[in-house]
Amino acid sequence: MRWALVKVCLAVTAMVVIAFAVPLGLVIKEMARDRAFSDAERQAATIGPTLTITTDREELTRAVLSTEPGGRGRLAVHVPAAGQGGERLEIGERRATRQDLETVRKSGRAAIAEVPGGSALLQPTALGSGGIAVVEVFVPENEVSNGVGTAWLVLAGVGIALIVGSVAVADRLGVRMVQPAQRLAGAAQDLGEGRLGTRVPEEGPTELRSAAVAFNSMADQVVQLLANERELAADLSHRLRTPLTVLRLNAASLGEGPAAEQTRAAVEQLEHEVDTIIRTAREQRPQTQGGQPGAGAGCDASEVIRERMGFWSALAEDEGRTVRLAGVDRTVRIPVARPELAAALDALLGNVFRHTPEGTAFAVDVHHSGDAVIVLVSDAGPGIPDPESALARGASGRNSAGSEVGSTGLGLDIVRRVAESTGGDLRIGRSVLGGTEVRIWIGLDGGPAERARRGHRVGRRNGRRGPRGVRGRNTEFRGAPGAGPHL
């Protein structure tokens, strides 16, 4: 919009300058011509008194030479012959044709004749004897256009100055209108990225001020709606405690046995999840400032992975699955909340148990590359024939044969949101075990992890180099007895 305004102002100013400068330039040229011939008429009139007194050649010659144009060879006097057999008298250099002289003499009116090098003013003058003499004054072309070029340059300079000034003013006006619009667009982008504390200064033209007021009001409403949503989620989760209490009491009355133990464990896990939802919903705050999480934010990925693998390994042992865990022997801090990482791991491991036959081995690898953490969940199952469709929400509920298997696809969507919240991503490929490999790339700097991708190539566990050239240590992992699956 800024450049459009400048272009419009430039076009309008240029048209105005041309509309006034061109006619004014022509007027100046005509005025210079009139001035030159007015001077010539005045000079021709100086010889008139002498012609009324005498037509003697010597007297007329002295009179012509005494004038300024006569001394410069620009004045000539043409006296017709007096009576029969009289001699025509010409003093000075004649430039006009005889026909022009005769026309002026007969008409008795002054005329301008075009001659080589300029123009000639032909002025008729009455003689004492009653005849008509013609005084010729030569006006060079440079005197006719004297000062015109300078005047045109001045007009051109004034026109250029007007155009430059109008463009500068239009640019300033454009900046005054564009900057608030740019701030509004940037604030909208920041709000879309989750910076709910973004607000726009209410300044600029009236329309943009109104837009800024509306944007700030909308941002306030978004913050309020998110707060209400979190409170609603916490309240709904809190209401589940009553039926959970009934379930726990009923489960306690089932007595002893494997089914009763599994029921009580499931109720206990469900109570734990409800408590986690309530705590997360009420403690979570919208991101009101841009930038990275503060010190101490996030969790230890190694600790969370060990905990969840201990949970799932009991079911893996019952189904005869070989479980391998690597890279969790040191603390790895990531900018992801503990419940979110646990939910992502449960979703991936649940998919392994849901979509692969019993006895299929799986592994979890953790690689740390300085500014990114990579979590690899791989299995030896049949694999996913179409990873792109699996990543689409709601499409991961099909197996390799294309039939429905009861999944909604929300598990991978949860994992993807966790990765993208740190500037990372989620990829699905073929694992070294022969089945599916799901790679979660978690950025540690809160931004895109492209530098980590270019600087570090993460190898797989079978003899390949990991980040920074360190081999990951693959260890057998068995969970504690009695732990059940988290479905």
Side-chain angles (χ1 to χ4, degrees):
M1 185 172 65
R2 174 182 176 184
W3 289 113
L5 183 60
V6 169
K7 291 178 181 178
V8 170
C9 187
L10 177 62
V12 172
T13 308
M15 288 189 294
V16 171
V17 168
I18 291 174
F20 281 93
V22 172
L24 186 58
L26 296 177
V27 169
I28 291 174
K29 182 179 179 180
E30 189 65 27
M31 289 176 61
R33 179 183 177 86
D34 292 343
R35 183 185 66 249
F37 285 105
S38 296
D39 292 341
E41 289 180 358
R42 180 178 54 80
Q43 294 166 358
T46 58
I47 201 68
T50 304
L51 289 173
T52 59
I53 297 173
T54 180
T55 57
D56 181 68
R57 177 183 292 273
E58 293 182 1
E59 294 292 336
L60 290 177
T61 301
R62 283 195 297 269
V64 168
L65 294 177
S66 64
T67 62
E68 179 185 355
R72 301 171 63 181
R74 297 180 181 178
L75 180 63
V77 177
H78 307 283
V79 180
Q84 294 293 335
E87 181 182 1
R88 179 183 295 133
L89 182 61
E90 289 189 358
I91 300 173
E93 181 181 358
R94 177 177 61 84
R95 292 179 174 84
T97 63
R98 293 192 180 277
Q99 182 179 359
D100 292 335
L101 295 173
E102 290 298 327
T103 301
V104 171
R105 182 179 291 113
K106 290 179 181 179
S107 64
R109 293 191 300 269
I112 298 174
E114 298 295 330
V115 298
S119 303
L121 173 65
L122 304 179
Q123 179 70 41
T125 302
L127 300 174
S129 59
I132 300 297
V134 178
V135 179
E136 177 184 350
V137 180
F138 174 65
V139 181
E141 186 65 31
N142 58 352
E143 290 189 3
V144 174
S145 60
N146 185 26
V148 175
T150 302
W152 283 3
L153 288 176
V154 172
L155 288 176
V158 172
I160 293 174
L162 289 175
I163 292 175
V164 172
S166 64
V167 168
V169 172
D171 182 69
R172 290 297 90 197
L173 293 176
V175 169
R176 184 172 177 269
M177 290 188 295
V178 169
Q179 282 184 345
Q182 291 176 340
R183 285 195 294 267
L184 184 61
Q189 184 176 2
D190 291 341
L191 186 64
E193 292 175 355
R195 301 182 182 91
L196 301 182
T198 302
R199 296 296 183 271
V200 182
E202 299 173 2
E203 58 186 17
T206 304
E207 294 79 5
L208 292 177
R209 284 201 302 271
S210 301
V213 171
F215 176 85
N216 293 336
S217 176
M218 178 193 67
D220 294 337
Q221 293 179 8
V222 169
V223 173
Q224 184 62 38
L225 288 175
L226 290 177
N228 294 339
E229 181 182 358
R230 289 195 305 274
E231 291 297 327
L232 178 61
D235 183 64
L236 291 177
S237 301
H238 185 76
R239 294 181 184 182
L240 293 176
R241 284 179 171 175
T242 300
L244 282 176
T245 302
V246 176
L247 289 175
R248 181 164 51 82
L249 294 175
N250 291 339
S253 64
L254 293 177
E256 301 296 332
E261 291 297 329
Q262 289 183 1
T263 301
R264 282 190 285 270
V267 171
E268 182 179 356
Q269 178 62 26
L270 185 57
E271 286 183 329
H272 172 72
E273 294 298 333
V274 169
D275 290 339
T276 300
I277 292 174
I278 295 174
R279 184 172 59 254
T280 302
R282 287 187 171 169
E283 291 180 356
Q284 185 180 7
R285 292 293 182 266
Q287 182 181 359
T288 58
Q289 300 292 338
Q292 304 176 11
C299 65
D300 180 6
S302 299
E303 180 185 356
V304 176
I305 292 174
R306 286 195 302 266
E307 176 187 344
R308 301 318 301 159
M309 286 296 290
F311 182 85
W312 286 95
S313 61
L315 181 59
E317 187 173 1
D318 292 341
E319 294 185 358
R321 298 175 183 266
T322 301
V323 182
R324 306 190 69 181
L325 180 64
V328 294
D329 52 350
R330 65 185 180 121
T331 300
V332 180
R333 299 290 304 181
I334 60 174
V336 177
R338 183 186 186 93
E340 295 181 4
L341 180 60
L345 289 171
D346 288 342
L348 293 180
L349 296 175
N351 286 339
V352 172
F353 282 88
R354 189 178 301 113
H355 301 307
T356 61
E358 293 187 7
T360 301
F362 67 94
V364 177
D365 297 341
V366 180
H367 300 277
H368 187 266
S369 60
D371 55 358
V373 172
I374 302 169
V375 180
L376 300 176
V377 179
S378 54
D379 61 63
I384 299 178
D386 190 357
E388 295 294 334
S389 297
L391 287 174
R393 182 168 183 151
S396 63
R398 297 181 180 272
N399 58 17
S400 58
S403 61
E404 293 290 341
V405 294
S407 172
T408 63
L410 298 180
L412 289 179
D413 194 60
I414 293 173
V415 179
R416 179 172 53 233
R417 287 201 303 269
V418 169
E420 292 178 350
S421 67
T422 66
D425 60 12
L426 174 67
R427 299 285 180 88
I428 297 179
R430 177 68 63 177
S431 73
V432 296
L433 298 179
T436 302
E437 178 185 83
V438 179
R439 187 201 68 173
I440 311 174
W441 192 293
I442 301 175
L444 300 182
D445 56 355
E450 290 298 329
R451 293 192 303 273
R453 290 191 185 91
R454 293 193 296 265
H456 308 282
R457 298 300 180 187
V458 179
R460 291 178 173 81
R461 294 176 294 107
N462 291 0
R464 295 190 181 181
R465 305 289 291 180
R468 302 188 183 277
V470 179
R471 291 183 180 273
R473 292 184 296 170
N474 301 331
T475 59
E476 294 289 341
F477 188 91
R478 298 292 181 186
H486 176 63
L487 300 175

